[in-house]
Amino acid sequence: MTYDVGSAGVLPAVSAPMWTHVDTAAWLRVDPLELTRLIAIGAGPMNYWVGGHRRYLPGDVLAWLRRNHDGARLPRHARPGGAA
């Protein structure tokens, strides 16, 4: 399976103000449809509708990842200061 790496062709920076749905899926390294499914069942990260598009705050995504993977080692790109 391959994943889109985001709208700019690279993983989004944690310092970006808000991420798109595709950027968030790329950062989490999941298919965008899987992220949509998680949100539909109430298991995805906090998200906001801005201008008719779903957006995510990087801090919310990281907090969700840590809450839902408690005790698991976070991938390098998901660690504070981690590389893409």
Side-chain angles (χ1 to χ4, degrees):
M1 179 179 280
T2 60
Y3 302 113
D4 187 341
V5 293
S7 57
V10 296
L11 289 173
V14 175
S15 61
M18 292 192 96
W19 292 346
T20 66
H21 186 77
V22 170
D23 287 342
T24 302
W27 191 82
L28 291 169
R29 297 191 177 162
V30 299
D31 188 90
L33 292 175
E34 175 64 12
L35 183 55
T36 299
R37 186 190 71 75
L38 287 171
I39 291 164
I41 64 171
M46 178 68 138
N47 59 89
Y48 308 88
W49 284 95
V50 179
H53 301 278
R54 195 181 306 267
R55 298 285 187 247
Y56 303 81
L57 291 171
D60 289 344
V61 176
L62 189 56
W64 170 83
L65 185 64
R66 286 182 173 148
R67 276 193 316 272
N68 289 283
H69 294 82
D70 188 33
R73 183 181 159 106
L74 292 174
R76 174 174 285 199
H77 77 278
R79 293 182 213 146

